[in-house]
Amino acid sequence: MTLLVLLGLVSYYVGTLGTHTEIKKVAEEKVTLPCHHQLGLPEKDTLDIEWLLTDHEGNQKVVITYSSHHVYNNLTEEQKGRVAFASNFLAGDASLQIEPLKPSDEGRYTCKVKNSGRYVWSYVILKVLVRPSKPKCELEGELTEGSDLTLQCESSSGTEPIVYSWQRVQEKGGEDERLPPKSKIDYNHPGRVLLQNLTMSSSGLYQCTAGNEAGKESCVVRVTVRYVQSVGMIAGAVTGMVAGALLIFLLVWLLIRRKDKKRYEEEERPNEIREDAEAPKARLVKPSSSSSGSRSSRSGSSSTRSTANSGSRSQRTPCAEAARRPGLAAHVYGPLGPEARGSEPKKAPHATLTKAENTPSTIPSQSRAFQTV
């Protein structure tokens, strides 16, 4: 039995036909598959070494060989230039080295050493581990207070099983790295975590880590919870805004109306007639000749009637005065003697007196000679 010292995880056991070894290595690294023998010391000219790979589908192909003093290592297109003997295979160390390691290198390797009819077989099961790809962190749900939020994290590639874990990143002193109390892990989808009944304290930076045997990768996402007012407060705010807009519109309308009214009053003020204003002065216009003639004829007839009335009044005056003052009448007419008393003055006919009394006296006025316009 040969003691194998490997950098990776190695398990081995001894059988009648040789050793069986299992090795796990991370992709893109270097790996050495062990194979030791003691068949080349007596007769080196008849030594043959061959490495075979059997994939998961059962297909077998030759990786590298040594025969007739020649090494053949470019036998497969997938491993061309990446495989070689790790040490002095003629001295007893026929180990195989692969660099860099790829996922397609995974499978069961068989090392066959033959010399002078003797055979040695070594078996190595190589498992290539792929580090998880950088996961993508996403948020599903509403970032509002009181709602539920789902944190989702997933790697697109990597060797299964991949383990996901969420934690809170400390941004300032006193923050807890644990998730909020009301958090649930979805075991059907390990990368999903449900944060229930969000609060303002739920805000912060959250980190998701995806890991397997090959390594770990992580991503971060920020959660910012928004405060949402109640429906009543929102309705009140909207109503207040509408009322304010209407009030502003009304004030603007009143100002415009007042301005228009003031401008209208200023335009109409020169055309108004004030009651307490002084009346316009009359202008005297000299009448025309026709008007003067007609008015002169009316003035002549009025003068004739006035003269007649004056005569009748003059005839009635002594009698009336005598009747009102008897003493005076006796004093005036007394010295005339009996003759005078025996003859009475002639009286005007009654009809003439009546007509004269009823006819109004018309006194022409000089103001009629002019016309007021």
Side-chain angles (χ1 to χ4, degrees), residues 158-210:
T159 302
E160 298 291 342
I162 300 177
V163 179
Y164 297 93
S165 62
W166 281 94
Q167 67 178 2
R168 192 169 181 177
V169 180
Q170 287 186 346
E171 296 183 281
K172 55 185 179 180
E175 283 189 350
D176 194 352
E177 294 184 355
R178 295 175 298 178
L179 296 176
K182 294 183 179 181
S183 302
K184 293 184 178 180
I185 299 175
D186 188 352
Y187 291 100
N188 295 326
H189 303 84
R192 296 169 63 94
V193 174
L194 178 64
L195 304 182
Q196 294 179 320
N197 193 16
L198 292 176
T199 61
M200 299 302 292
S201 60
S202 302
S203 299
L205 196 64
Y206 292 80
Q207 181 181 29
C208 172
T209 302

Short mmCIF file of all heavy atoms in Angstrom, two decimals, residues 158-210:
data_model
loop_
_atom_site.label_atom_id
_atom_site.label_comp_id
_atom_site.label_asym_id
_atom_site.label_seq_id
_atom_site.Cartn_x
_atom_site.Cartn_y
_atom_site.Cartn_z
N GLY A 158 -22.94 26.20 -10.42
CA GLY A 158 -22.24 25.76 -9.23
C GLY A 158 -22.59 24.32 -8.93
O GLY A 158 -23.64 23.81 -9.31
N THR A 159 -21.68 23.65 -8.26
CA THR A 159 -21.90 22.25 -7.89
C THR A 159 -22.91 22.15 -6.77
O THR A 159 -22.79 22.84 -5.74
CB THR A 159 -20.56 21.61 -7.47
OG1 THR A 159 -19.61 21.72 -8.54
CG2 THR A 159 -20.75 20.15 -7.11
N GLU A 160 -23.88 21.30 -7.00
CA GLU A 160 -24.88 21.07 -5.97
C GLU A 160 -24.32 20.17 -4.88
O GLU A 160 -23.44 19.33 -5.14
CB GLU A 160 -26.13 20.42 -6.59
CG GLU A 160 -26.81 21.30 -7.63
CD GLU A 160 -27.48 22.54 -7.03
OE1 GLU A 160 -27.71 22.54 -5.81
OE2 GLU A 160 -27.74 23.48 -7.79
N PRO A 161 -24.82 20.30 -3.65
CA PRO A 161 -25.85 21.27 -3.24
C PRO A 161 -25.26 22.63 -2.92
O PRO A 161 -24.15 22.74 -2.41
CB PRO A 161 -26.43 20.61 -2.00
CG PRO A 161 -25.28 19.85 -1.40
CD PRO A 161 -24.44 19.39 -2.55
N ILE A 162 -26.03 23.65 -3.23
CA ILE A 162 -25.65 25.03 -2.89
C ILE A 162 -26.50 25.46 -1.70
O ILE A 162 -27.73 25.35 -1.72
CB ILE A 162 -25.86 25.98 -4.08
CG1 ILE A 162 -25.01 25.54 -5.27
CG2 ILE A 162 -25.53 27.41 -3.69
CD1 ILE A 162 -25.20 26.38 -6.51
N VAL A 163 -25.83 25.96 -0.71
CA VAL A 163 -26.51 26.39 0.51
C VAL A 163 -26.60 27.92 0.50
O VAL A 163 -25.58 28.60 0.28
CB VAL A 163 -25.76 25.90 1.76
CG1 VAL A 163 -26.46 26.38 3.03
CG2 VAL A 163 -25.66 24.38 1.75
N TYR A 164 -27.82 28.42 0.75
CA TYR A 164 -28.05 29.86 0.77
C TYR A 164 -28.34 30.31 2.20
O TYR A 164 -29.02 29.61 2.96
CB TYR A 164 -29.23 30.25 -0.12
CG TYR A 164 -29.02 29.93 -1.59
CD1 TYR A 164 -29.45 28.73 -2.12
CD2 TYR A 164 -28.38 30.84 -2.42
CE1 TYR A 164 -29.26 28.43 -3.46
CE2 TYR A 164 -28.18 30.55 -3.77
CZ TYR A 164 -28.63 29.35 -4.28
OH TYR A 164 -28.44 29.06 -5.61
N SER A 165 -27.84 31.48 2.52
CA SER A 165 -28.09 32.05 3.84
C SER A 165 -28.22 33.57 3.72
O SER A 165 -27.48 34.20 2.96
CB SER A 165 -26.98 31.68 4.83
OG SER A 165 -25.74 32.22 4.40
N TRP A 166 -29.16 34.12 4.49
CA TRP A 166 -29.40 35.57 4.51
C TRP A 166 -29.03 36.11 5.88
O TRP A 166 -29.29 35.48 6.91
CB TRP A 166 -30.87 35.88 4.24
CG TRP A 166 -31.25 35.82 2.79
CD1 TRP A 166 -31.77 34.76 2.13
CD2 TRP A 166 -31.15 36.89 1.85
NE1 TRP A 166 -32.00 35.08 0.83
CE2 TRP A 166 -31.64 36.38 0.61
CE3 TRP A 166 -30.71 38.20 1.89
CZ2 TRP A 166 -31.69 37.16 -0.54
CZ3 TRP A 166 -30.76 38.97 0.74
CH2 TRP A 166 -31.25 38.46 -0.45
N GLN A 167 -28.44 37.28 5.87
CA GLN A 167 -28.16 37.97 7.12
C GLN A 167 -28.17 39.48 6.87
O GLN A 167 -28.08 39.93 5.73
CB GLN A 167 -26.82 37.54 7.71
CG GLN A 167 -25.63 37.96 6.87
CD GLN A 167 -24.32 37.57 7.51
OE1 GLN A 167 -24.30 36.95 8.56
NE2 GLN A 167 -23.21 37.94 6.89
N ARG A 168 -28.30 40.19 7.96
CA ARG A 168 -28.32 41.65 7.87
C ARG A 168 -26.91 42.19 8.08
O ARG A 168 -26.19 41.75 8.98
CB ARG A 168 -29.27 42.22 8.92
CG ARG A 168 -29.59 43.69 8.74
CD ARG A 168 -30.73 44.07 9.65
NE ARG A 168 -31.10 45.47 9.50
CZ ARG A 168 -32.11 46.04 10.13
NH1 ARG A 168 -32.85 45.31 10.96
NH2 ARG A 168 -32.38 47.31 9.94
N VAL A 169 -26.52 43.15 7.23
CA VAL A 169 -25.19 43.73 7.30
C VAL A 169 -25.21 44.93 8.24
O VAL A 169 -26.08 45.81 8.11
CB VAL A 169 -24.69 44.15 5.91
CG1 VAL A 169 -23.29 44.76 6.00
CG2 VAL A 169 -24.69 42.95 4.97
N GLN A 170 -24.28 44.98 9.17
CA GLN A 170 -24.19 46.10 10.09
C GLN A 170 -23.63 47.32 9.37
O GLN A 170 -22.54 47.28 8.81
CB GLN A 170 -23.31 45.75 11.28
CG GLN A 170 -23.94 44.79 12.26
CD GLN A 170 -23.08 44.59 13.49
OE1 GLN A 170 -21.92 44.96 13.52
NE2 GLN A 170 -23.66 44.02 14.54
N GLU A 171 -24.41 48.40 9.37
CA GLU A 171 -23.96 49.67 8.79
C GLU A 171 -23.58 50.67 9.86
O GLU A 171 -22.84 51.61 9.60
CB GLU A 171 -25.06 50.26 7.91
CG GLU A 171 -25.38 49.41 6.69
CD GLU A 171 -26.41 50.06 5.80
OE1 GLU A 171 -27.61 50.00 6.13
OE2 GLU A 171 -26.00 50.66 4.78
N LYS A 172 -24.10 50.48 11.05
CA LYS A 172 -23.77 51.34 12.17
C LYS A 172 -23.84 50.53 13.44
O LYS A 172 -24.41 49.43 13.48
CB LYS A 172 -24.71 52.54 12.24
CG LYS A 172 -26.18 52.17 12.29
CD LYS A 172 -27.06 53.41 12.24
CE LYS A 172 -28.54 53.04 12.27
NZ LYS A 172 -29.39 54.24 12.22
N GLY A 173 -23.25 51.05 14.47
CA GLY A 173 -23.19 50.31 15.72
C GLY A 173 -24.56 50.03 16.31
O GLY A 173 -25.48 50.83 16.22
N GLY A 174 -24.70 48.87 16.90
CA GLY A 174 -25.95 48.52 17.55
C GLY A 174 -26.91 47.74 16.69
O GLY A 174 -27.92 47.23 17.19
N GLU A 175 -26.65 47.61 15.39
CA GLU A 175 -27.54 46.86 14.53
C GLU A 175 -27.33 45.36 14.73
O GLU A 175 -26.21 44.89 14.97
CB GLU A 175 -27.32 47.22 13.06
CG GLU A 175 -27.94 48.55 12.67
CD GLU A 175 -27.90 48.75 11.16
OE1 GLU A 175 -27.23 47.94 10.49
OE2 GLU A 175 -28.53 49.70 10.68
N ASP A 176 -28.43 44.61 14.59
CA ASP A 176 -28.38 43.17 14.75
C ASP A 176 -28.15 42.54 13.39
O ASP A 176 -28.76 42.91 12.40
CB ASP A 176 -29.70 42.67 15.35
CG ASP A 176 -29.58 41.24 15.85
OD1 ASP A 176 -28.54 40.62 15.59
OD2 ASP A 176 -30.53 40.76 16.50
N GLU A 177 -27.26 41.53 13.34
CA GLU A 177 -27.00 40.84 12.08
C GLU A 177 -28.09 39.84 11.74
O GLU A 177 -28.15 39.36 10.60
CB GLU A 177 -25.64 40.11 12.15
CG GLU A 177 -24.45 41.05 12.24
CD GLU A 177 -23.14 40.30 12.21
OE1 GLU A 177 -23.19 39.04 12.20
OE2 GLU A 177 -22.07 40.94 12.19
N ARG A 178 -28.91 39.52 12.69
CA ARG A 178 -29.98 38.57 12.44
C ARG A 178 -31.12 39.24 11.68
O ARG A 178 -31.29 40.45 11.70
CB ARG A 178 -30.49 37.98 13.75
CG ARG A 178 -29.46 37.13 14.49
CD ARG A 178 -29.98 36.68 15.83
NE ARG A 178 -30.26 37.82 16.70
CZ ARG A 178 -30.77 37.71 17.93
NH1 ARG A 178 -31.05 36.51 18.42
NH2 ARG A 178 -30.97 38.79 18.65
N LEU A 179 -31.93 38.40 11.03
CA LEU A 179 -33.09 38.89 10.30
C LEU A 179 -34.16 39.37 11.28
O LEU A 179 -34.13 39.01 12.46
CB LEU A 179 -33.65 37.79 9.40
CG LEU A 179 -32.72 37.29 8.27
CD1 LEU A 179 -33.37 36.13 7.54
CD2 LEU A 179 -32.39 38.41 7.32
N PRO A 180 -35.10 40.19 10.82
CA PRO A 180 -36.19 40.64 11.71
C PRO A 180 -36.94 39.46 12.31
O PRO A 180 -36.94 38.35 11.75
CB PRO A 180 -37.08 41.46 10.76
CG PRO A 180 -36.16 41.95 9.70
CD PRO A 180 -35.16 40.84 9.51
N PRO A 181 -37.59 39.67 13.44
CA PRO A 181 -38.24 38.55 14.14
C PRO A 181 -39.25 37.81 13.26
O PRO A 181 -39.29 36.58 13.27
CB PRO A 181 -38.92 39.22 15.33
CG PRO A 181 -38.14 40.48 15.55
CD PRO A 181 -37.69 40.92 14.20
N LYS A 182 -40.07 38.52 12.51
CA LYS A 182 -41.11 37.87 11.70
C LYS A 182 -40.56 37.56 10.31
O LYS A 182 -40.95 38.15 9.31
CB LYS A 182 -42.34 38.76 11.61
CG LYS A 182 -43.05 38.95 12.94
CD LYS A 182 -44.31 39.78 12.77
CE LYS A 182 -45.03 39.95 14.10
NZ LYS A 182 -46.28 40.73 13.96
N SER A 183 -39.62 36.61 10.28
CA SER A 183 -39.01 36.18 9.01
C SER A 183 -39.17 34.68 8.87
O SER A 183 -39.02 33.93 9.85
CB SER A 183 -37.53 36.55 8.97
OG SER A 183 -37.36 37.94 9.12
N LYS A 184 -39.49 34.23 7.66
CA LYS A 184 -39.68 32.81 7.39
C LYS A 184 -38.84 32.40 6.20
O LYS A 184 -38.81 33.08 5.19
CB LYS A 184 -41.16 32.51 7.13
CG LYS A 184 -42.06 32.70 8.34
CD LYS A 184 -43.49 32.29 8.02
CE LYS A 184 -44.39 32.43 9.23
NZ LYS A 184 -45.78 32.03 8.92
N ILE A 185 -38.18 31.24 6.33
CA ILE A 185 -37.37 30.68 5.25
C ILE A 185 -38.21 29.70 4.45
O ILE A 185 -38.88 28.84 5.02
CB ILE A 185 -36.12 29.99 5.82
CG1 ILE A 185 -35.26 31.00 6.59
CG2 ILE A 185 -35.30 29.35 4.70
CD1 ILE A 185 -34.06 30.37 7.27
N ASP A 186 -38.17 29.85 3.14
CA ASP A 186 -38.87 28.92 2.26
C ASP A 186 -37.96 27.73 2.01
O ASP A 186 -36.99 27.81 1.24
CB ASP A 186 -39.24 29.62 0.95
CG ASP A 186 -40.14 28.77 0.07
OD1 ASP A 186 -40.34 27.59 0.41
OD2 ASP A 186 -40.62 29.29 -0.96
N TYR A 187 -38.28 26.59 2.63
CA TYR A 187 -37.40 25.43 2.53
C TYR A 187 -37.50 24.78 1.15
O TYR A 187 -36.58 24.04 0.76
CB TYR A 187 -37.73 24.43 3.63
CG TYR A 187 -37.35 24.93 5.01
CD1 TYR A 187 -38.31 25.46 5.85
CD2 TYR A 187 -36.03 24.89 5.45
CE1 TYR A 187 -37.98 25.95 7.11
CE2 TYR A 187 -35.68 25.36 6.71
CZ TYR A 187 -36.67 25.89 7.53
OH TYR A 187 -36.33 26.38 8.78
N ASN A 188 -38.58 25.01 0.44
CA ASN A 188 -38.66 24.51 -0.93
C ASN A 188 -37.75 25.30 -1.86
O ASN A 188 -37.31 24.78 -2.89
CB ASN A 188 -40.10 24.58 -1.43
CG ASN A 188 -41.02 23.66 -0.65
OD1 ASN A 188 -40.60 22.58 -0.23
ND2 ASN A 188 -42.26 24.07 -0.46
N HIS A 189 -37.49 26.54 -1.52
CA HIS A 189 -36.57 27.40 -2.26
C HIS A 189 -35.65 28.05 -1.23
O HIS A 189 -35.96 29.11 -0.69
CB HIS A 189 -37.31 28.46 -3.08
CG HIS A 189 -38.30 27.88 -4.05
ND1 HIS A 189 -39.58 27.53 -3.68
CD2 HIS A 189 -38.16 27.58 -5.37
CE1 HIS A 189 -40.21 27.05 -4.75
NE2 HIS A 189 -39.38 27.06 -5.77
N PRO A 190 -34.54 27.41 -0.91
CA PRO A 190 -33.68 27.88 0.18
C PRO A 190 -33.21 29.32 0.03
O PRO A 190 -32.82 29.95 1.02
CB PRO A 190 -32.51 26.90 0.15
CG PRO A 190 -33.03 25.68 -0.53
CD PRO A 190 -34.00 26.19 -1.54
N GLY A 191 -33.19 29.83 -1.18
CA GLY A 191 -32.71 31.20 -1.37
C GLY A 191 -33.76 32.25 -1.13
O GLY A 191 -33.48 33.45 -1.33
N ARG A 192 -34.96 31.87 -0.68
CA ARG A 192 -36.05 32.82 -0.47
C ARG A 192 -36.34 32.97 1.02
O ARG A 192 -36.46 31.98 1.75
CB ARG A 192 -37.32 32.36 -1.19
CG ARG A 192 -37.17 32.32 -2.70
CD ARG A 192 -38.35 31.61 -3.33
NE ARG A 192 -39.60 32.33 -3.08
CZ ARG A 192 -40.13 33.23 -3.91
NH1 ARG A 192 -39.50 33.52 -5.05
NH2 ARG A 192 -41.26 33.82 -3.63
N VAL A 193 -36.48 34.24 1.43
CA VAL A 193 -36.82 34.55 2.82
C VAL A 193 -37.96 35.56 2.80
O VAL A 193 -37.91 36.56 2.06
CB VAL A 193 -35.61 35.13 3.58
CG1 VAL A 193 -36.03 35.59 4.97
CG2 VAL A 193 -34.52 34.09 3.67
N LEU A 194 -38.99 35.30 3.60
CA LEU A 194 -40.16 36.17 3.66
C LEU A 194 -40.08 37.04 4.90
O LEU A 194 -39.99 36.54 6.03
CB LEU A 194 -41.44 35.33 3.68
CG LEU A 194 -42.76 36.09 3.80
CD1 LEU A 194 -42.97 36.99 2.59
CD2 LEU A 194 -43.93 35.13 3.98
N LEU A 195 -40.10 38.36 4.69
CA LEU A 195 -40.14 39.32 5.79
C LEU A 195 -41.57 39.79 5.94
O LEU A 195 -42.12 40.44 5.04
CB LEU A 195 -39.22 40.51 5.51
CG LEU A 195 -37.75 40.19 5.22
CD1 LEU A 195 -36.97 41.49 5.00
CD2 LEU A 195 -37.13 39.37 6.33
N GLN A 196 -42.20 39.45 7.07
CA GLN A 196 -43.61 39.77 7.28
C GLN A 196 -43.77 41.04 8.10
O GLN A 196 -42.97 41.34 8.99
CB GLN A 196 -44.32 38.61 8.00
CG GLN A 196 -44.39 37.33 7.16
CD GLN A 196 -45.08 36.21 7.91
OE1 GLN A 196 -44.88 36.04 9.11
NE2 GLN A 196 -45.89 35.43 7.20
N ASN A 197 -44.84 41.77 7.77
CA ASN A 197 -45.23 42.97 8.52
C ASN A 197 -44.03 43.91 8.69
O ASN A 197 -43.53 44.12 9.79
CB ASN A 197 -45.81 42.57 9.88
CG ASN A 197 -46.50 43.74 10.56
OD1 ASN A 197 -46.81 44.75 9.93
ND2 ASN A 197 -46.73 43.60 11.85
N LEU A 198 -43.60 44.47 7.59
CA LEU A 198 -42.44 45.35 7.62
C LEU A 198 -42.67 46.56 8.52
O LEU A 198 -43.77 47.09 8.60
CB LEU A 198 -42.13 45.85 6.20
CG LEU A 198 -41.63 44.81 5.20
CD1 LEU A 198 -41.47 45.45 3.83
CD2 LEU A 198 -40.32 44.20 5.65
N THR A 199 -41.62 46.97 9.17
CA THR A 199 -41.62 48.19 9.97
C THR A 199 -40.46 49.07 9.50
O THR A 199 -39.61 48.65 8.70
CB THR A 199 -41.47 47.86 11.46
OG1 THR A 199 -40.21 47.19 11.67
CG2 THR A 199 -42.60 46.97 11.95
N MET A 200 -40.43 50.29 10.03
CA MET A 200 -39.35 51.20 9.65
C MET A 200 -37.99 50.64 10.08
O MET A 200 -36.98 50.90 9.44
CB MET A 200 -39.58 52.57 10.26
CG MET A 200 -40.87 53.25 9.80
SD MET A 200 -40.94 53.46 8.01
CE MET A 200 -39.65 54.65 7.77
N SER A 201 -37.98 49.84 11.16
CA SER A 201 -36.72 49.26 11.63
C SER A 201 -36.24 48.14 10.72
O SER A 201 -35.11 47.67 10.87
CB SER A 201 -36.89 48.73 13.06
OG SER A 201 -37.90 47.73 13.11
N SER A 202 -37.09 47.67 9.79
CA SER A 202 -36.68 46.62 8.87
C SER A 202 -35.78 47.14 7.76
O SER A 202 -35.20 46.34 7.02
CB SER A 202 -37.91 45.95 8.25
OG SER A 202 -38.77 45.41 9.24
N SER A 203 -35.69 48.44 7.63
CA SER A 203 -34.83 49.03 6.59
C SER A 203 -33.37 48.73 6.89
O SER A 203 -32.94 48.71 8.05
CB SER A 203 -35.05 50.54 6.50
OG SER A 203 -36.39 50.83 6.17
N GLY A 204 -32.61 48.49 5.82
CA GLY A 204 -31.19 48.23 6.01
C GLY A 204 -30.62 47.46 4.83
O GLY A 204 -31.25 47.29 3.79
N LEU A 205 -29.38 46.99 5.01
CA LEU A 205 -28.66 46.27 3.97
C LEU A 205 -28.66 44.78 4.32
O LEU A 205 -28.30 44.40 5.44
CB LEU A 205 -27.22 46.79 3.87
CG LEU A 205 -26.44 46.44 2.61
CD1 LEU A 205 -27.08 47.06 1.38
CD2 LEU A 205 -25.00 46.92 2.74
N TYR A 206 -29.07 43.94 3.35
CA TYR A 206 -29.16 42.50 3.56
C TYR A 206 -28.22 41.80 2.58
O TYR A 206 -28.12 42.19 1.42
CB TYR A 206 -30.60 42.01 3.35
CG TYR A 206 -31.56 42.49 4.41
CD1 TYR A 206 -32.08 43.78 4.36
CD2 TYR A 206 -31.94 41.67 5.47
CE1 TYR A 206 -32.97 44.23 5.33
CE2 TYR A 206 -32.83 42.11 6.44
CZ TYR A 206 -33.33 43.39 6.37
OH TYR A 206 -34.21 43.84 7.34
N GLN A 207 -27.57 40.74 3.09
CA GLN A 207 -26.58 40.00 2.30
C GLN A 207 -27.01 38.56 2.18
O GLN A 207 -27.42 37.91 3.15
CB GLN A 207 -25.20 40.09 2.95
CG GLN A 207 -24.11 39.35 2.17
CD GLN A 207 -22.77 39.44 2.87
OE1 GLN A 207 -22.70 39.54 4.09
NE2 GLN A 207 -21.69 39.39 2.11
N CYS A 208 -26.87 38.04 0.94
CA CYS A 208 -27.14 36.63 0.68
C CYS A 208 -25.83 35.95 0.32
O CYS A 208 -25.06 36.47 -0.51
CB CYS A 208 -28.15 36.47 -0.46
SG CYS A 208 -28.37 34.75 -1.01
N THR A 209 -25.57 34.80 0.91
CA THR A 209 -24.35 34.04 0.64
C THR A 209 -24.73 32.68 0.09
O THR A 209 -25.54 31.96 0.69
CB THR A 209 -23.52 33.87 1.92
OG1 THR A 209 -23.20 35.16 2.45
CG2 THR A 209 -22.24 33.10 1.64
N ALA A 210 -24.16 32.36 -1.06
CA ALA A 210 -24.35 31.05 -1.69
C ALA A 210 -23.03 30.30 -1.59
O ALA A 210 -21.99 30.80 -2.03
CB ALA A 210 -24.78 31.22 -3.14
#
